C-alpha cells in the first residue's frame, strides 16, 4: 500500500488495518503529516499543524494497542479540528486576528472525548472567520482552497475540515454548523458531514456564533466514519445548557438496512425557485439521485417548501442578533481586528431591535410546527446540500450568497439532524451533495 | 412591509448602538440592514398574540442546604 493509499483509507478501514498490524498509528500519522507538508501549501487547510504532539500521541497509541489496551475504532486514528474548538495548550484562533494568540486552558468537551477515544490530533483547521461571513481575504491566515480545484471555494464555514478530508490529510474532522457550515463544505468538497440533533453533541468549549443555532458535529469520508465519530462525541454534558440528557443510540446499527419504503419529502414548491434560484445543473444531479433512491425502494413525495423558505429568514435574523450580542464588546473595542466580511454581516445584528429578535424566535415556533406537520406524510426531507456548485474565488460575491435559496438553514432552526452525502458532480468536476 | 432606512436613519441608529462607523461603511451596510429589517417584517406576519418564542426557560433549581 502506498502512502497515498494509506491517506485515503476510511476510519473503519484504518481501524481494521491497525488491528491486523498492517500498519501502525505512527505510520498513519507520518503519512498524513508528509501529505500535509507536501500539498497543504496550496490548500491552506491547516492553520496550526501539531506535528510533534501528533507523533507523541501516535507513539502512545501504538504502545497501548500493542499492549492490548484498545480504546475502540478511533484509537490511533489521526484527526483534525476546526479552529474554534478549544484545545488545551494549543492555539485556537477562530481564523481571526481577534483570537490570533489565544491558548485555551481546557479542551472542549468534544475534543476531550476524542482524546479519550485515542485519536491523534494533527492540528487546527482553517475556517471562515468566527464561522461567519465568507472566505477571509483580510484575516491573518489565508482562505482555504478547494482540493478539487484550488481556484474554487471549498464552502464554509468548516472549510478546512472539508478540504483536509477531501485531500487525504486526515481521516476525520470536527466542524460546526449554525446555518450549514458542516453540510456546505461537505457538499463542495465531496465528503460526508452531519449536523446532529441540537443538544446531541456538547457545544462546551466551542466558540459560539449563535447559541440557539450552533451545532457541533463530525465530518469524514464515509457515512460510517461520521457515525463512528458521532458515537464518540455524543452524550449529555452538564457544561452545555442545551445538552440533551437522553440515551445515545448505536449510530452504526441501521447503516445497512436499506431504504425500502422510506418516505422522502422534497420541499420544492416555493423554495427551490426562491430569488435567484437553484443552479439547473445542481437540480439535475439532485433529480437523478431521487430517481436512484426511488429505484432502491424509497417513495418520493413533493411537499410545500414555503415554511422551509421562510425558516431561512428566521435563521438569519436570529443568527446575526446572537452573533452581534456575543461579539459586541470586542467589536466596540477593536473593530478593525474583524475582517470586512464578518464585520458587515455581524453589524446587521446591531441594527435590529430586541423586538425583531424575539419576533424571529416566535416565528421559529410557528415554522417548527409547520415543518413538523410534514412528518405525518414523510420520514425524511431531501434537498441539494447547496443551491450551486462551488464558485471560483474570483467571481464569488459573499453578499450575494444571502439572497439565494439556502437548503441548510431550516434544519438549524428546527434542530433536526441533517447530513450531506456526495451525490455526483456538476460540470468542471465540481462535487454536489444531497 | 417595513419602511426602508435611509443613510441618515442608519447613522442615528449606529450612534445609539455606540458604533462609530464612517459614511462609506454605513453605505455598504445599508442594503444588508434593510434586507434584515424586511425579513423581520415578513416574520411578523406569521405570528399571533398567542405565539411564544421558541426559547425555553427553566425555573432555577436550588438544592436544599442545611442551615449553618
Amino acid at each position: 500500500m502506498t502512502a497515498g493509499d494509506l491517506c485515503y483509507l476510511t476510519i473503519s478501514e484504518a481501524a481494521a488495518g491497525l488491528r491486523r498490524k498492517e500498519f501502525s498509528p505512527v505510520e498513519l500519522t507520518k503519512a498524513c503529516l508528509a501529505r500535509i507538508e507536501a500539498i497543504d501549501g496550496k490548500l491552506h487547510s491547516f492553520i496550526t499543524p501539531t506535528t510533534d504532539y501528533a507523533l507523541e500521541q501516535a507513539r502512545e497509541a501504538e504502545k497501548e494497542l500493542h499492549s492490548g489496551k484498545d480504546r475502540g475504532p478511533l484509537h490511533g486514528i489521526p484527526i483534525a479540528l476546526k479552529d474554534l474548538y478549544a484545545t488545551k495548550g494549543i492555539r485556537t484562533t477562530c481564523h481571526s486576528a481577534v483570537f490570533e494568540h489565544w491558548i485555551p486552558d481546557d479542551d472542549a468537551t468534544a475534543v476531550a472525548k476524542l482524546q479519550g477515544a485515542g485519536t491523534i490530533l494533527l492540528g487546527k483547521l482553517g475556517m471562515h472567520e468566527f464561522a461567519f461571513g465568507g472566505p477571509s481575504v483580510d484575516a491573518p491566515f489565508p482562505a482555504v482552497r478547494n482540493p478539487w480545484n484550488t481556484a474554487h471555494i471549498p464552502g464554509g464555514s468548516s472549510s478546512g475540515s472539508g478540504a483536509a478530508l477531501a485531500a487525504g490529510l486526515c481521516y476525520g474532522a470536527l466542524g460546526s454548523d449554525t446555518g450549514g457550515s458542516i453540510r456546505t463544505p461537505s457538499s463542495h468538497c465531496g465528503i460526508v458531514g452531519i449536523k446532529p440533533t441540537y443538544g446531541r453533541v456538547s457545544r462546551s468549549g466551542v466558540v459560539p456564533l449563535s447559541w440557539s443555532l450552533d451545532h457541533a458535529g463530525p465530518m469524514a469520508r464515509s457515512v460510517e466514519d461520521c457515525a463512528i465519530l458521532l458515537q464518540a462525541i455524543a452524550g449529555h454534558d452538564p457544561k452545555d445548557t442545551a445538552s440533551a440528557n437522553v440515551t445515545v443510540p448505536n449510530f452504526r446499527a441501521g447503516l445497512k438496512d436499506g431504504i425500502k419504503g422510506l418516505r422522502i419529502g422534497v420541499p420544492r414548491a416555493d423554495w427551490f425557485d426562491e430569488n435567484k434560484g437553484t443552479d439547473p445543473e445542481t437540480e439535475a444531479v439532485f433529480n437523478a439521485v431521487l430517481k436512484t433512491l426511488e429505484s432502491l425502494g424509497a417513495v418520493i413525495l413533493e411537499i410545500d417548501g414555503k415554511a422551509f423558505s421562510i425558516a431561512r429568514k428566521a435563521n438569519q435574523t436570529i443568527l446575526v442578533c446572537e452573533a452581534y450580542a456575543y461579539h459586541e464588546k470586542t467589536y466596540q473595542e477593536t473593530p478593525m481586528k474583524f475582517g470586512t466580511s464578518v464585520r458587515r454581516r455581524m453589524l446587521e445584528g446591531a441594527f435590529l431591535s430586541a423586538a425583531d429578535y424575539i419576533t424571529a424566535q416566535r416565528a421559529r415556533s410557528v415554522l417548527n410546527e409547520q415543518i413538523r406537520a410534514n412528518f405525518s406524510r414523510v420520514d425524511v426531507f431531501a434537498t441539494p446540500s447547496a443551491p450551486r456548485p462551488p464558485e471560483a474565488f474570483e467571481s464569488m460575491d459573499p453578499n450575494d450568497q444571502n439572497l439565494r435559496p439556502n437548503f441548510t438553514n431550516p434544519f438549524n432552526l428546527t434542530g433536526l439532524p441533517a447530513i450531506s452525502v456526495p451525490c455526483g458532480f456538476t460540470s468542471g468536476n465540481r462535487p454536489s451533495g444531497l | 412591509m417595513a419602511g426602508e432606512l435611509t443613510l441618515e436613519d442608519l447613522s442615528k441608529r449606529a450612534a445609539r448602538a455606540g458604533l462609530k462607523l464612517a459614511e462609506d461603511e454605513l453605505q455598504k451596510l445599508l442594503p444588508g440592514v434593510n434586507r434584515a429589517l424586511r425579513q423581520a417584517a415578513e416574520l411578523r406576519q406569521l405570528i399571533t398574540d398567542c405565539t411564544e418564542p421558541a426559547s425555553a426557560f427553566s425555573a432555577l433549581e436550588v438544592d436544599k442546604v442545611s442551615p449553618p
Side-chain angles (χ1 to χ4, degrees):
Chain A
M1 192 179 287
T2 67
D5 293 338
L6 212 56
C7 288
Y8 274 103
L9 294 175
T10 63
I11 291 173
S12 53
E13 288 166 347
L18 284 173
R19 277 146 194 86
R20 288 194 298 264
K21 297 191 169 47
E22 289 170 11
F23 40 77
S24 70
V26 172
E27 285 173 296
L28 288 182
T29 304
K30 283 184 173 173
C32 290
L33 291 171
R35 197 166 168 82
I36 293 167
E37 178 70 27
I39 66 171
D40 203 45
K42 291 179 190 163
L43 300 176
H44 312 300
S45 64
F46 279 81
I47 289 178
T48 310
T50 50
T51 307
D52 293 342
Y53 182 52
L55 287 169
E56 185 188 316
Q57 284 187 308
R59 283 190 284 269
E60 182 63 25
E62 194 159 313
K63 205 161 64 180
E64 286 187 351
L65 283 167
H66 281 173
S67 70
K69 183 177 179 184
D70 191 334
R71 298 179 190 223
L74 289 170
H75 201 171
I77 302 293
I79 56 107
L81 301 167
K82 184 176 184 177
D83 206 16
L84 49 52
Y85 283 82
T87 40
K88 186 178 180 180
I90 299 168
R91 183 173 71 151
T92 300
T93 70
C94 296
H95 210 125
S96 176
V98 175
F99 280 13
E100 193 175 354
H101 305 293
W102 181 44
I103 298 178
D105 294 326
D106 291 299
D107 284 326
T109 296
V111 174
K113 286 188 171 195
L114 285 179
Q115 299 272 23
T119 58
I120 292 156
L121 180 62
L122 293 167
K124 306 296 291 292
L125 298 163
M127 51 187 278
H128 291 177
E129 184 180 5
F130 284 116
F132 210 7
S136 314
V137 290
D138 47 5
F141 315 103
V144 181
R145 304 250 155 192
N146 194 321
W148 291 88
N149 182 339
T150 54
H152 289 243
I153 60 168
S157 66
S158 308
S159 43
S161 310
L165 282 159
L169 306 184
C170 60
Y171 296 89
L174 294 188
S176 68
D177 193 317
T178 308
S181 287
I182 285 176
R183 291 158 287 159
T184 306
S186 297
S187 173
H188 283 1
C189 293
I191 59 144
V192 183
I194 182 165
K195 177 199 82 64
T197 307
Y198 189 72
R200 175 65 83 192
V201 175
S202 173
R203 303 161 308 155
S204 175
V206 183
V207 175
L209 171 57
S210 171
W211 299 276
S212 74
L213 299 167
D214 287 344
H215 297 66
M219 298 163 75
R221 284 192 292 268
S222 77
V223 171
E224 184 178 26
D225 286 0
C226 274
I228 291 169
L229 287 162
L230 183 57
Q231 202 75 51
I233 60 175
H236 181 241
D237 178 14
K239 288 193 277 185
D240 177 356
T241 51
S243 180
N245 195 357
V246 294
T247 309
V248 177
N250 178 355
F251 295 117
R252 290 161 92 182
L255 288 182
K256 297 193 191 310
D257 286 354
I259 57 167
K260 194 170 169 39
L262 186 75
R263 300 170 303 167
I264 300 176
V266 180
R268 195 186 311 256
D270 280 335
W271 192 14
F272 282 40
D273 57 353
E274 186 189 351
N275 295 316
K276 292 187 178 181
T278 306
D279 165 65
E281 269 192 85
T282 301
E283 197 163 351
V285 170
F286 173 69
N287 289 334
V289 169
L290 291 182
K291 283 199 176 9
T292 304
L293 294 173
E294 206 164 22
S295 74
L296 293 169
V299 179
I300 310 294
L301 293 162
E302 295 277 336
I303 59 174
D304 186 6
K306 189 69 181 170
F308 295 84
S309 165
I310 301 174
R312 176 178 71 80
K313 296 168 186 175
N315 192 90
Q316 288 185 356
T317 303
I318 293 166
L319 195 158
V320 294
C321 290
E322 293 188 3
Y324 184 67
Y326 176 73
H327 289 291
E328 182 181 18
K329 185 168 179 290
T330 315
Y331 178 81
Q332 293 195 342
E333 287 167 1
T334 53
M336 299 321 286
K337 280 197 166 186
F338 291 87
T340 313
S341 170
V342 169
R343 214 165 51 233
R344 199 180 298 174
R345 272 237 45 220
M346 185 173 68
L347 282 175
E348 288 176 18
F351 294 105
L352 291 168
S353 67
D356 292 329
Y357 172 72
I358 298 292
T359 294
Q361 287 286 11
R362 293 170 74 193
R364 186 181 200 173
S365 300
V366 175
L367 292 162
N368 282 354
E369 283 310 311
Q370 290 177 1
I371 290 171
R372 186 206 303 271
N374 288 295
F375 284 111
S376 62
R377 295 175 60 211
V378 304
D379 302 306
V380 296
F381 303 115
T383 72
S385 302
R388 290 178 183 225
E391 290 166 279
F393 276 93
E394 264 185 9
S395 58
M396 192 212 54
D397 175 2
N399 300 311
D400 187 44
Q401 313 266 325
N402 298 329
L403 302 174
R404 295 176 186 161
N406 174 305
F407 298 121
T408 48
N409 280 183
F411 305 102
N412 296 79
L413 198 80
T414 57
L416 291 169
I419 191 168
S420 178
V421 293
C423 71
F425 292 85
T426 53
S427 58
N429 216 21
R430 291 177 295 174
S432 198
L434 170 72
Chain B
M1 182 66 72
E4 296 274 301
L5 290 186
T6 63
L7 196 61
E8 197 184 347
D9 298 330
L10 197 64
S11 179
K12 284 180 188 163
R13 285 193 182 204
R16 276 206 301 274
L19 297 169
K20 290 176 190 142
L21 297 167
E23 189 171 326
D24 65 328
E25 190 146 18
L26 286 168
Q27 192 78 58
K28 285 175 188 159
L29 277 168
L30 190 60
V33 172
N34 274 324
R35 189 182 64 246
L37 290 169
R38 280 196 301 276
Q39 287 188 352
E42 194 177 335
L43 295 172
R44 205 162 282 123
Q45 308 300 313
L46 294 178
I47 57 178
T48 68
D49 288 348
C50 304
T51 314
E52 290 205 19
S55 45
F57 167 73
S58 303
L60 185 66
E61 287 179 27
V62 181
D63 292 331
K64 263 196 171 172
V65 183
S66 305

